[in-house]
Amino acid sequence: MHFSSNGFCVDAIYCCLEIVITPTMQPWVVAMALATLMCFTSTCYFFQIPEEIRKKESSQAAALGIWGPPDAEFNWCEEDYQLSEWIAEPVNTASCVAMILLPLLFLATHEATGDVVTIACMEVVIAIGSMLFHATLRYSMQLADEIPMIWYVAAVVCSCLKRLKGLNVHFWAYGWVAILSIVIIATEQHSLLHEIFRGLMTLSFSSGLVVIGWGISAMASRLAAQEDKGRRAGKAAARVLQAALLMFALSVVSWLLDNYHCTRLRHLPGGIPYPHLHTWWHVFIAVTLHCIMVLLHMDSYRHSAHLDLRFLAGLPVVHA
């Protein structure tokens, strides 16, 4: 499956975006649209990595960087070691700060429940791992980026299922993620067992995102159903959901374009500089994750008669 020649991948994402960003946004529609997107992202990330970003033997990187030649599965589109021998991809590394600042700002402005605090802290761990990965392009640091992501997804899935269905799946979800993490860390990078479990991690991650999309949409719908004349929380939740889905779609489009069209993006007409779309992926996904925390927090206080959403320096802040 290859999408770089005819743009089918991006067209499909735009189609899904058009379906999802509507006033109704039924949870099952959001889940199906995300499932479609995950087919493309999983293919790009694990099953058929684009040649444009597949790891390459780089004597230049080995000479310029103190970390040695990149051995991660990916060498992203940003040129290596352009500013410092300590940081392979300085722009991509710096952009991860957004995933540290936003959850910390959220915790500073909300009295969040335990599950949301855990989710915010996990986002910070993801950001640190991602910074280490982009700074070194070493496979061990790639795992420091990937493994916290699957723990984050498990945490949000557990929170959604507990809130919406009363299901306590923490033992099973965290147990499965622990098995994935232990086997991946304990086995050699190119061993068959390692590859099998990385594939299982990719599929688990994608499936979890579908559940999260269904969950946050269902929570927004539940808030809208409880709307009355004295509260605007339902409409506010719908706007936050729209923002989350839009930012996620933009992040996926940016990520895929950067992966499949790296050479073209480096040589744009008219001397236009490389747009660093992977950096925009970091920024857009940071906003997406922030919106997820806002929706979870709104759901925690859905019975409050004073539940409302206000903005502080452009960021949504829940008042209950």
Side-chain angles (χ1 to χ4, degrees):
M1 187 179 294
H2 184 65
F3 305 110
S4 60
S5 62
N6 56 21
F8 173 72
C9 180
V10 174
D11 290 341
I13 291 170
Y14 284 135
C15 181
C16 292
L17 176 60
E18 187 175 301
I19 294 172
V20 170
I21 308 299
T22 64
T24 55
M25 286 184 297
Q26 295 295 325
W28 69 269
V29 175
V30 174
M32 289 186 65
L34 288 179
T36 303
L37 296 187
M38 291 306 100
C39 292
F40 299 119
T41 57
S42 297
T43 298
C44 177
Y45 195 82
F46 180 77
F47 296 101
Q48 188 176 350
I49 300 173
E51 288 297 328
E52 299 260 3
I53 60 168
R54 188 181 294 275
K55 68 175 182 180
K56 303 177 179 66
E57 295 297 330
S58 174
S59 58
Q60 179 186 21
L64 296 179
I66 67 166
W67 311 112
D71 68 346
E73 296 293 324
F74 311 94
N75 191 333
W76 306 104
C77 194
E78 182 180 356
E79 295 280 1
D80 298 343
Y81 296 106
Q82 293 298 294
L83 296 180
S84 168
E85 64 178 1
W86 289 88
I87 305 176
E89 297 175 348
V91 178
N92 284 344
T93 302
S95 62
C96 296
V97 172
M99 290 185 285
I100 296 177
L101 293 178
L102 287 181
L104 293 181
L105 286 171
F106 177 87
L107 293 177
T109 53
H110 297 85
E111 293 183 8
T113 54
D115 59 337
V116 181
V117 172
T118 299
I119 289 165
C121 293
M122 284 186 175
E123 183 182 345
V124 174
V125 175
I126 291 171
I128 294 171
S130 187
M131 292 178 77
L132 293 172
F133 175 27
H134 287 292
T136 65
L137 293 178
R138 303 299 295 176
Y139 187 66
S140 58
M141 295 300 102
Q142 178 183 327
L143 296 183
D145 179 24
E146 291 177 344
I147 290 175
M149 289 184 190
I150 191 66
W151 283 91
Y152 173 91
V153 167
V156 182
V157 166
C158 288
S159 180
C160 289
L161 292 178
K162 181 68 173 178
R163 291 164 180 269
L164 293 165
K165 298 296 183 180
L167 298 176
N168 191 340
V169 298
H170 292 72
F171 175 79
W172 300 105
Y174 289 136
W176 172 242
V177 170
I179 292 172
L180 290 174
S181 303
I182 291 169
V183 173
I184 289 171
I185 292 171
T187 52
E188 293 292 333
Q189 177 179 356
H190 298 296
S191 67
L192 178 61
L193 189 61
H194 186 87
E195 291 299 317
I196 289 172
F197 272 77
R198 275 202 72 231
L200 291 172
M201 182 175 68
T202 301
L203 295 175
S204 300
F205 178 83
S206 299
S207 301
L209 287 185
V210 173
V211 176
I212 291 171
W214 163 82
I216 62 173
S217 303
M219 282 184 275
S221 297
R222 181 162 67 177
L223 279 165
Q226 296 175 346
E227 192 73 298
D228 56 40
K229 294 181 179 179
R231 263 189 5 168
R232 296 174 297 175
K235 292 180 180 179
R239 290 197 297 271
V240 174
L241 177 61
Q242 287 177 332
L245 296 173
L246 175 61
M247 290 297 103
F248 182 73
L250 289 174
S251 69
V252 171
V253 169
S254 300
W255 187 76
L256 288 172
L257 286 175
D258 201 60
N259 293 348
Y260 282 106
H261 298 285
C262 176
T263 302
R264 294 179 184 178
L265 290 170
R266 284 179 176 176
H267 301 92
L268 293 173
I272 300 173
Y274 167 60
H276 288 281
L277 293 183
H278 195 91
T279 290
W280 286 106
W281 145 258
H282 288 162
V283 174
F284 290 141
I285 206 66
V287 177
T288 301
L289 301 185
H290 188 80
C291 290
I292 289 174
M293 289 188 294
V294 169
L295 286 168
L296 290 171
H297 192 70
M298 292 185 74
D299 184 75
S300 298
Y301 292 92
R302 66 184 180 277
H303 298 301
S304 171
H306 306 290
L307 182 62
D308 195 10
L309 191 69
R310 302 174 188 175
F311 289 87
L312 176 65
L315 292 176
V317 178
V318 181
H319 287 260

